[in-house]
């Protein structure tokens, strides 16, 4: 019996061991992931020039975060809904209803200690969970398409919102403690570092905008956040390599980390020169970290992706898909309620039109962030970046004076382009 042997590689012939991928090749391979970050940076630079430097001003950056934070908060919940293979059209109406309910409890109804902003917020989050459970029940256990159930919810809760507020009237003003959720800033526990003393005029009054002082608590939080990002990124990379999986070239990984870290530190510096980090940005950051942990480290996160990838296979593998679907919509209800509280806090009152059309921005943020309409695909960071892309475009076009009608056209084209790009990548793969 003869035995075939593998001939030794000849001189000048490449060995069987493949050389490591060059950075350019890896960049093309991961174009979707890197493209989002590059697109956000390019859009920000574009509007920085077209708005004559207004976009990156500390005051505008704070307004940008406060105005769009509810979109990103709800996008975190919508990501799990879409990954699981469903959709929720009711989030904007639920947010409006919760804002109206909170305003009625704090301003109109004589509830005593129950009118406390913290108690009201907790009650509203529980109501949001109940709404999500009610919608999820019909979707999970009666197999009614989520499009139909949440479309009905969109109409129902918009109507209840308007009925609560008496048609076209608004309810307010809301307590300052409640409004701090959206318009407040974290206190400077460390102290302010004055680099350039402010200028004092002849009348002995400080000229607004003169001098340079840094909110040091913001600086410290920003540095800790960047160091944590670098540490966990390196840890995840080592874990991937130790299990035999291919990792991106170290040069590309280093470049990506440096770019993101520099961008974060720049934004943190801008916030520090104003009033510090907005409270809502801290809340949003904690939620992002929580959802990243859930989707990447917890069993329930992997099960949600399995549900969206192939529901029948997930069920056969022992996953209770009905209960999991119910949990996904309960989570969406809670985040919709939180979004409604942020909107009401931002406006300082409850209005019938609060959250109107925001479901479209939330869904667009998730799809722009790389989620698949077929389910099973999507990342938390992608949804967050998609939300910021929508927010920067809204803010930049508003500063430029672009008509609202044309803003909708631009956002629609961006959404269509993102989905077409996603479909093209899937076909190419």
């Amino acid at each position: 019996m003869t035995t075939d042997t593998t001939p030794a590689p000849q001189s000048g012939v490449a060995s069987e061991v493949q050389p490591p991928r060059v950075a350019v090749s890896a960049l093309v391979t991961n174009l979707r992931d890197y493209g989002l970050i590059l697109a956000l940076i390019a859009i920000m630079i574009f509007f920085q020039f077209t708005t004559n430097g207004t976009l990156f001003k500390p005051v505008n950056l704070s307004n940008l975060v406060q105005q769009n934070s509810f979109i990103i908060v709800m996008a975190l919940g919508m990501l799990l809904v879409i990954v699981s293979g469903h959709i929720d059209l009711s989030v904007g109406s639920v947010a409006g209803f919760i804002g109206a309910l909170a305003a009625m409890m704090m301003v109109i109804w004589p509830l005593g200690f129950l009118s406390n902003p913290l108690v009201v917020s907790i009650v509203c989050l529980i109501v949001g969970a109940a709404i999500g459970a009610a919608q999820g029940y019909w979707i999970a256990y009666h197999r009614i398409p989520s499009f139909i159930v949440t479309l009905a919810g969109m109409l129902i809760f918009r109507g209840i919102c308007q009925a609560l507020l008496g048609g076209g009237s608004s309810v307010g003003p809301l307590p300052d403690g409640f409004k701090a959720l959206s318009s407040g800033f974290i206190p400077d526990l460390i102290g302010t570092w004055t680099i350039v003393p402010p200028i004092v005029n002849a009348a002995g009054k400080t000229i607004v905008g003169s001098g340079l002082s840094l909110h040091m608590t913001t600086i410290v939080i920003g540095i800790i956040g960047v160091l944590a990002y670098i540490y966990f990124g390196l840890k995840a990379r080592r874990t991937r390599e130790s299990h035999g999986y291919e990792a991106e070239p170290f040069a590309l990984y280093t470049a990506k980390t440096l770019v993101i870290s520099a961008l974060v530190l720049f934004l943190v510096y801008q916030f520090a020169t104003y009033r510090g980090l907005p409270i809502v940005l801290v809340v949003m950051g904690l939620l992002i970290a929580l959802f990243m942990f859930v989707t990447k480290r917890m069993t329930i996160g992997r099960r949600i992706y399995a549900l969206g990838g192939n529901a029948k296979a997930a069920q056969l593998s022992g996953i209770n898909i009905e209960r999991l679907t119910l949990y996904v919509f309960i989570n969406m209800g809670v985040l919709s309620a939180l979004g409604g509280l942020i909107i009401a806090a931002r406006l300082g009152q409850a209005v019938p039109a609060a959250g109107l059309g925001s479901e479209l921005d939330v869904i667009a943020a998730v799809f722009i962030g790389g989620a698949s309409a077929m389910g099973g695909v999507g990342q938390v960071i992608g949804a967050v970046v998609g939300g910021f892309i929508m927010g920067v475009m809204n803010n930049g076009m508003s500063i430029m004076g672009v008509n609202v009608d044309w803003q909708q056209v631009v956002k629609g084209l961006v959404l269509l382009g993102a989905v077409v790009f996603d479909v093209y990548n899937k076909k190419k793969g």
Side-chain angles (χ1 to χ4, degrees):
M1 183 176 64
T2 59
T3 303
D4 293 330
T5 58
T6 304
Q10 300 176 358
S11 177
V13 179
S15 65
E16 292 181 1
V17 179
Q18 295 295 325
R21 295 181 302 165
V22 296
V24 174
S25 175
L27 180 62
V28 173
T29 303
N30 299 278
L31 184 59
R32 180 72 185 186
D33 297 331
Y34 295 111
L36 275 176
I37 301 294
L38 295 175
L40 175 59
I41 295 174
I43 291 172
M44 294 177 73
I45 293 175
F46 171 78
F47 282 116
Q48 172 69 1
F49 282 103
T50 55
T51 60
N52 297 319
T54 302
L55 182 70
F56 283 154
K57 287 185 177 179
V59 176
N60 187 64
L61 287 175
S62 296
N63 290 333
L64 177 64
V65 170
Q66 293 167 343
Q67 291 169 359
N68 296 280
S69 55
F70 73 96
I71 295 293
I72 295 175
V73 166
M74 292 194 290
L76 294 174
M78 187 65 72
L79 172 69
L80 298 188
V81 170
I82 290 176
V83 165
S84 66
H86 297 285
I87 196 73
D88 192 341
L89 302 177
S90 69
V91 293
S93 296
V94 172
F97 162 68
I98 292 296
L101 176 63
M104 296 297 291
M105 292 180 66
M106 288 185 287
V107 178
I108 303 298
W109 296 339
L111 299 177
F113 80 96
L114 292 178
S115 297
N116 179 275
L118 179 60
V119 176
V120 168
S121 299
I122 294 173
V123 171
C124 286
L125 293 178
I126 294 173
V127 172
I131 292 172
Q135 295 190 131
Y137 169 77
W138 295 106
I139 297 166
Y141 293 97
H142 293 275
R143 308 286 194 214
I144 300 177
S146 57
F147 182 91
I148 301 300
V149 173
T150 57
L151 178 61
M154 179 178 71
L155 300 174
I156 291 170
F157 293 108
R158 180 58 59 185
I160 296 177
C161 172
Q162 295 175 348
L164 265 181
L165 298 177
S169 61
S170 60
V171 174
L174 301 180
D176 291 338
F178 179 77
K179 291 190 291 186
L181 172 63
S182 178
S183 57
F185 295 82
I186 63 171
D188 194 351
L189 302 177
I190 299 177
T192 302
W193 179 24
T194 302
I195 300 176
V196 179
I199 300 175
V200 179
N201 59 22
K205 295 183 179 180
T206 301
I207 299 178
V208 178
S210 63
L212 177 61
S213 298
L214 295 182
H215 192 277
M216 290 308 298
T217 302
T218 296
I219 295 293
V220 171
I221 292 176
I223 293 174
I224 292 174
V226 169
L227 292 177
Y229 167 71
I230 295 173
Y231 170 77
F232 286 110
L234 287 172
K235 183 178 179 181
R237 178 183 174 85
R238 286 196 298 265
T239 301
R240 184 176 181 85
E241 291 176 338
S242 66
H243 286 83
Y245 292 102
E246 185 181 19
E248 60 190 340
F250 188 74
L252 183 58
Y253 166 78
T254 302
K256 178 192 71 174
T257 302
L258 289 176
V259 169
I260 295 177
S261 299
L263 178 61
V264 170
L265 289 176
F266 170 75
L267 295 177
V268 165
Y269 171 79
Q270 294 294 94
F271 285 122
T273 60
Y274 181 49
R275 298 174 61 187
L277 293 175
I279 292 177
V280 71
L281 179 60
V282 177
V283 173
M284 188 171 64
L286 293 175
L287 284 173
I288 292 170
L290 173 63
F291 275 80
M292 288 185 65
F293 179 78
V294 169
T295 55
K296 291 182 177 295
R297 300 293 182 182
M298 294 186 66
T299 302
I300 190 172
R302 293 191 290 269
R303 288 179 175 178
I304 291 173
Y305 281 90
L307 171 62
N310 190 323
K312 188 65 176 178
Q315 186 175 34
L316 292 175
S317 67
I319 297 175
N320 189 329
I321 63 173
E322 291 84 6
R323 185 171 59 190
L324 189 60
T325 300
L326 181 65
Y327 289 163
V328 167
F329 278 92
I330 291 175
N331 174 72
M332 185 73 257
V334 172
L335 292 180
S336 296
L338 179 56
L341 295 175
I342 293 173
I343 294 173
R346 172 67 179 171
L347 297 175
Q349 60 182 349
V351 297
L356 185 64
S358 60
E359 60 274 352
L360 302 180
D361 283 340
V362 172
I363 294 171
V366 176
F367 283 135
I368 289 173
S372 171
M374 305 305 294
V377 177
Q379 294 185 11
V380 171
I381 289 299
V384 173
V385 174
F388 275 117
I389 287 176
M390 296 293 292
V392 171
M393 288 196 304
N394 285 334
N395 184 263
M397 288 188 290
S398 297
I399 296 173
M400 292 174 61
V402 177
N403 189 281
V404 176
D405 300 334
W406 288 107
Q407 290 186 30
Q408 299 296 325
V409 172
V410 172
K411 290 191 291 185
L413 291 174
V414 170
L415 173 60
L416 178 61
V419 175
V420 169
F421 183 69
D422 182 62
V423 172
Y424 170 78
N425 274 350
K426 285 182 173 60
K427 287 183 178 180
K428 187 176 180 181

